[in-house]
Amino acid sequence: MTLLTDEELCRVPKPGADITAMGHYPEERGPKSEYLDSGDSAVFGAVEPPRRSRRQLVLHSAVMFGREFCYAVEGAFVTPVLLSVGLPRSLYSLVWLISPVLGFVLQPVIGSASDRCGSPWGRRRPYILSLGVMMLAGLALFLNGDYVVSAIVTERNSKKTWAIVVVMCGVVLFDFAADFIDGPVKAYLFDVCSHQDKERGLHYHALLTGLGGACGYLVGAMDWGHSALGVLLGSEYQVIFFFSALSLSLFLSLHLFSIPETPLGRGGATEPRPSDTLLLLGNQSSGYGALPREPVPEPELRTRSFSALGEANSVTSSAKQPNKEVQKRMTLKSLLLAMIHMPNHYRCLCICHLLGWTAFLCNMLFFTDFMGQIVYKGNPYADHNSTAYNTYERGVEVGCWGLCINAVSSALYSYVQRLLLPYIGLKGLYFVGYLVFGLGTSLIGLFPNIIATLTLCSVFGVMSSTLYTIPFNLISEYHKQEEAQRKMREEEGERGRGTGVDCAALTCMVQLAQIFVGAGLGALVNMVGSVIVVVLSASTVSLIGCLFIALFIRHVE
């Protein structure tokens, strides 16, 4: 007989212990090798969902195509539509202010409610469906508001006022829903996929996001007004709404039926897995990143194309945390307090990220209007059957081609970054992205002709790829360095700070930048009297960001 050692005895399960709790996720048929990975961890209580096929992950990612398609339409046409219905130039940037303000206030509420949803259909899909319907409603009001109001209201002044109100309500509703839907979508992926499939799923999300944005800009770039479809549906905006609504409805449906969810409380997970929960600080710490004694879930890092207006929405909703006591810990107040007390090099990175997004949004949100008014010299306030208005619309269409170039160049530059990284490092790539964007937008402002402007649209992609990747890579490197230093000091009992609050702080800078742009850019345009100040402001802020990177961003090896 062989006696067990004390260490081996500790690993023997107690009598009656349940080690076969395999009912957390629905059984799926498939090749045996595809599901083996989930079995080992399940025996010891850390149940992994079954492996998902490529088809399931692609269908799950389909909603990102539809969402980004509609986002591209909004980004390209929101300013021209608002100006065409008569919104004063001094107010047209304020429409971008409402959604991020709502995001700061409501994002913890929606994330927490999604985690506690007891619907038989699952926790995430009811919220995704509701937000998808809100997106369709907002899109309908945004693109068809003027047409509907003209058919109902006959008095000229009343018609103008109601058209402005309806279109603005549509923009705010769409922007709110489109920003918030990303959190439940990412949480849905994390709930139903194993660790390996999460990485694969996020890759497909990024791929279909880029394709959706490019297709949306291409549809906007077409002259639908004189086509057979335009004559049938009534106007160019109705054609664009038809394609946008069709795309969103189709791909949202594919997403909702891609992978089944287990309802909460019906064999579903009741505690977050260790891999899905990231500690911000050790239990004994009360400094930066510390929340009251409970670990806080890690936010999902998103790779998106131009329309990253709601980056902070996934901070609270992208992790599994059905424990109500834990959910209450992640609040706006705790996040803001943690941001105030963060280490200096993280604070500098957040400031630089804020400068970059401010510059980027200054240019991107008003680029098609710039093309219509400055490059093509059209007039959005002219009568809709006039030459000046038709010229402006042509400029908007060409501006959509420029934004499509931006989406393509962003994808291409992400591969160039890999080649440049060994030579100039992360800080060098960060500096280059801001510098190229600053110089490119300044040339567009100084020499606003069609060929030069479309050519220089490629620098927008350089900036967007930089903003979506480099700051988060720097966060990762900072934490790696700190972990190495902690091990060198042999502080094995000390828990290191996680990346949760750092990433949340970075993503909140996007909404803060949108608030700055919405509050100030319209007044600046009104004061100068020309939208050329849009690209010049973007260039100035970006070059200031270059200087800030050179002086204050910590270098990593």
Side-chain angles (χ1 to χ4, degrees), residues 76-77 216-218 220-221 367-368 395-405:
F77 288 100
Y217 292 131
L218 283 176
F367 179 72
T368 53
V396 170
E397 292 170 358
V398 175
C400 290
W401 284 107
L403 294 178
C404 185
I405 293 172

Side-chain angles (χ1 to χ4, degrees), residues 538-556:
S539 175
T540 301
V541 176
S542 182
L543 293 176
I544 292 173
C546 279
L547 184 62
F548 196 90
I549 292 171
L551 296 178
F552 299 108
I553 296 300
R554 178 193 284 186
H555 175 72
V556 293

Side-chain angles (χ1 to χ4, degrees), residues 2-201:
T2 303
L3 297 179
L4 297 176
T5 65
D6 292 339
E7 181 181 359
E8 290 169 329
L9 283 170
C10 293
R11 295 199 296 265
V12 176
K14 295 180 180 180
D18 182 10
I19 60 173
T20 58
M22 298 295 291
H24 291 274
Y25 295 90
E27 180 182 359
E28 294 209 358
R29 301 292 181 183
K32 182 178 179 180
S33 61
E34 190 174 355
Y35 302 100
L36 284 178
D37 293 343
S38 62
D40 297 337
S41 59
V43 174
F44 296 97
V47 181
E48 279 283 316
R51 294 296 303 275
R52 306 298 179 181
S53 66
R54 181 183 289 108
R55 180 186 64 84
Q56 287 179 308
L57 294 176
V58 170
L59 291 178
H60 186 278
S61 306
V63 68
M64 304 306 294
F65 183 99
R67 172 178 175 268
E68 202 68 19
F69 186 104
C70 297
Y71 240 145
V73 168
E74 184 207 30
F77 288 100
V78 64
T79 301
V81 169
L82 286 170
L83 295 181
S84 68
V85 297
L87 184 71
R89 181 180 295 172
S90 59
L91 300 177
Y92 75 158
S93 67
L94 292 181
V95 71
W96 297 108
L97 184 62
I98 302 174
S99 179
V101 171
L102 290 174
F104 269 113
V105 175
L106 296 179
Q107 68 178 17
V109 177
I110 289 187
S112 178
S114 170
D115 288 323
R116 293 195 299 263
C117 178
S119 168
W121 207 29
R123 286 191 291 167
R124 316 299 180 184
R125 289 188 290 178
Y127 282 87
I128 295 171
L129 177 61
S130 300
L131 291 168
V133 172
M134 290 172 61
M135 287 177 64
L136 283 173
L139 202 65
L141 293 176
F142 157 49
L143 290 174
N144 301 304
D146 187 26
Y147 181 80
V148 173
V149 170
S150 298
I152 298 175
V153 181
T154 56
E155 204 275 319
R156 184 178 179 86
N157 291 332
S158 298
K159 182 168 67 175
K160 176 181 177 181
T161 302
W162 277 106
I164 293 174
V165 171
V166 170
V167 172
M168 287 191 67
C169 288
V171 172
V172 171
L173 181 62
F174 173 84
D175 208 36
F176 173 84
D179 282 350
F180 273 84
I181 199 173
D182 191 70
V185 167
K186 292 296 193 298
Y188 177 16
L189 176 71
F190 275 34
D191 288 346
V192 299
C193 289
S194 64
H195 177 72
Q196 296 91 336
D197 288 339
K198 290 174 191 176
E199 296 181 355
R200 295 169 59 209

Side-chain angles (χ1 to χ4, degrees), residues 12 27 53 78 93 119 149 164 188 209 212 218 227 237 276 283 335 353-354 374 377 421 454 482 512:
V12 176
E27 180 182 359
S53 66
V78 64
S93 67
S119 168
V149 170
I164 293 174
Y188 177 16
T209 292
L218 283 176
S227 66
Y237 289 149
D276 288 341
N283 292 335
L335 181 60
H353 201 54
L354 175 62
I374 302 301
K377 304 186 187 306
L421 181 60
L454 288 179
E482 291 168 4
L512 189 58

